[in-house]
Amino acid sequence: MKNNLYYPQVSLSDEEIFSEIKKERESIGYYSLPHVDITDLKIRLDNLNFTQKQIAIIGIGGSTLGTYAIYNFMKYNKQHSKTLKKELFFFESTDPVNLNGTISQLNIEDTLFIVISKSGTTIETISIFKYLMSITKIDKSNLLVITEHDSKLNSFALANDINSFEIPKDVGGRFSVLSNVGLVPLYLAGFNIDDLLKGAKKISTSFFEQHELYDHLMKKSRTYYEFKDVYNVNAIFSYSQLLEGFNKWYVQLWGESLGKIDINNTNQGLTPIGLLGPVDQHSFLQLIVEGKSDKTLTFIKIKDFKDDTKIAPITLAGLEDLDYINNLNFKELINQQADATIASVKECKKDIPIDIIEIDNISEYEIGKLLFYYELLTSIVGRFLRINTYDQPGVEGGKIILKDMLKK
């Protein structure tokens, strides 16, 4: 039965929104993930004793984007380049050229395959899995499954004596990176998942105990809500290629969570954009500075890259005027580029909301903080918008149509 009642759009107080978010913790599982004891998980994974040097992760969307965000952020860290046990490869797209191109990078006989699907019936994931099984031997010696306990994929795992790791039913796919979805492959690859969860826990504690992060998140969320019809585009400008994966994860999290119909049957939504500095200074920045004032901007910087690579102190014929950059550290250059862009935008666009997030360094702790920060921000904005932040009926409709088309 359709609900024809109209609920006035009343601007709720911070206290009311905070109370609703605390109430959500009773039914929305991602809130508890930073506080889970993972001792038994690590023991179980250690006992599996997989020796393969590569991991192929087969999944799509929430099953892969969070793990890719962490892996992409951490893989070039000098400390990890020496200690990583396994290299990760991601099979997400049914693009056949991309599929075979990724396979060509594998030593397929020395690869551990991990199939991840919350429902267990994701068309893209199962299609790729079937193809891989047709070209190499895949069994319990080189395969793990991560899915819900009652999915058809878990039934397959049980029938073939394959180790399976559970995705809790109350944890949505795009909020699942700190569950087994991310923890299992990251631990097997050699990352410190304890530090990852400690970072997320730091954000959770600061917010729910109403420390310094509480006021910041409430103010930022209220700004997005109250000015949603003016600033409908929320752009992240990340000043490091290491955050490319994070940007992609953010776009899914924000778009799929907040593009909804609210309790008044009104279409809501804030459009996410992920930009990389300094590359996008030479493209999208022009639109920001001289285009419509319909965007909020969040700049993300890394304080210390822990890399002292310098611009060579050489003089090039005809380019002598640029010798002022000689001996400058690249980490200083990229952060000065960020600061110059921020100053330019503030000067030209005094009317748009701008904030800055500074990451201390490249570590599991810091990326854990950033991921949970944005999960919390998404949930709070969803409460202001009066929507269901955790479903995705628009996506499910396309899946149903595709299934009918394929069956025909």
Side-chain angles (χ1 to χ4, degrees), residues 346-363:
K346 285 183 176 179
E347 177 64 28
C348 298
K349 289 286 187 180
K350 295 183 173 66
D351 56 335
I352 68 172
I354 296 174
D355 68 309
I356 303 168
I357 295 174
E358 288 191 306
I359 299 171
D360 284 339
N361 51 56
I362 302 166
S363 65

Side-chain angles (χ1 to χ4, degrees), residues 129-399:
F129 182 41
K130 283 188 171 187
Y131 178 67
L132 289 168
M133 289 194 73
S134 74
I135 63 173
T136 191
K137 182 180 179 181
I138 299 179
D139 57 24
K140 65 180 181 179
S141 68
N142 64 348
L143 175 63
L144 292 179
V145 163
I146 304 176
T147 187
E148 289 186 345
H149 73 90
D150 58 353
S151 75
K152 291 181 179 179
L153 182 58
N154 196 49
S155 297
F156 163 84
L158 290 171
N160 292 277
D161 194 27
I162 293 162
N163 281 285
S164 180
F165 292 81
E166 184 180 353
I167 303 174
K169 279 192 173 293
D170 59 0
V171 176
R174 58 189 176 274
F175 289 86
S176 67
V177 61
L178 300 177
S179 72
N180 287 330
V181 168
L183 298 182
V184 168
L186 290 167
Y187 182 74
L188 289 172
F191 291 101
N192 189 330
I193 59 175
D194 291 284
D195 280 357
L196 181 70
L197 294 181
K198 284 177 185 176
K201 187 176 180 179
K202 171 69 174 177
I203 297 298
S204 176
T205 300
S206 181
F207 177 73
F208 283 108
E209 294 185 5
Q210 294 182 277
H211 295 162
E212 68 276 5
L213 194 61
Y214 170 81
D215 288 336
H216 164 82
L217 278 172
M218 296 305 298
K219 181 179 180 180
K220 188 170 180 176
S221 300
R222 182 175 291 280
T223 298
Y224 285 152
Y225 164 66
E226 293 187 348
F227 294 93
K228 61 186 171 66
D229 295 324
V230 179
Y231 307 116
N232 189 251
V233 178
N234 307 127
I236 282 179
F237 218 136
S238 299
Y239 268 78
S240 173
Q241 291 294 130
L242 305 182
L243 290 165
E244 179 183 12
F246 167 77
N247 282 7
K248 292 180 179 180
W249 174 84
Y250 156 74
V251 167
Q252 189 211 11
L253 177 73
W254 202 251
E256 198 168 61
S257 297
L258 301 181
K260 300 290 173 62
I261 297 174
D262 68 13
I263 57 175
N264 292 319
N265 204 35
T266 301
N267 296 96
Q268 299 288 351
L270 294 165
T271 301
I273 293 177
L275 304 171
L276 289 172
V279 176
D280 288 323
Q281 287 178 200
H282 300 269
S283 57
F284 204 90
L285 182 59
Q286 175 63 36
L287 179 62
I288 292 171
V289 172
E290 292 194 346
K292 291 181 63 177
S293 297
D294 58 353
K295 306 164 192 68
T296 67
L297 282 174
T298 296
F299 290 89
I300 304 179
K301 298 171 57 182
I302 299 175
K303 285 184 180 180
D304 188 359
F305 286 82
K306 296 191 182 300
D307 187 312
D308 295 324
T309 304
K310 292 184 178 183
I311 300 169
I314 60 176
T315 297
L316 301 175
L319 297 173
E320 294 88 352
D321 289 348
L322 290 173
D323 280 357
Y324 63 86
I325 64 175
N326 287 359
N327 283 315
L328 181 67
N329 286 332
F330 277 97
K331 65 183 180 183
E332 296 173 0
L333 174 60
I334 194 169
N335 279 328
Q336 287 185 31
Q337 288 173 305
D339 293 341
T341 302
I342 294 167
S344 173
V345 173
K346 285 183 176 179
E347 177 64 28
C348 298
K349 289 286 187 180
K350 295 183 173 66
D351 56 335
I352 68 172
I354 296 174
D355 68 309
I356 303 168
I357 295 174
E358 288 191 306
I359 299 171
D360 284 339
N361 51 56
I362 302 166
S363 65
E364 292 95 338
Y365 180 77
E366 290 297 319
I367 193 65
K369 286 169 59 179
L370 185 63
L371 291 167
F372 200 78
Y373 170 96
Y374 265 94
E375 289 181 338
L376 263 182
L377 180 67
T378 302
S379 293
I380 300 167
V381 174
R383 296 312 303 171
F384 273 113
L385 291 172
R386 317 314 288 164
I387 60 171
N388 183 344
T389 311
Y390 308 103
D391 65 358
Q392 52 279 333
V395 176
E396 297 303 323
K399 290 180 180 179

Side-chain angles (χ1 to χ4, degrees), residues 4 7 52 98 112 146 169 173 269 320 335:
N4 292 315
Y7 298 88
Q52 293 88 349
N98 174 269
L112 171 65
I146 304 176
K169 279 192 173 293
E320 294 88 352
N335 279 328

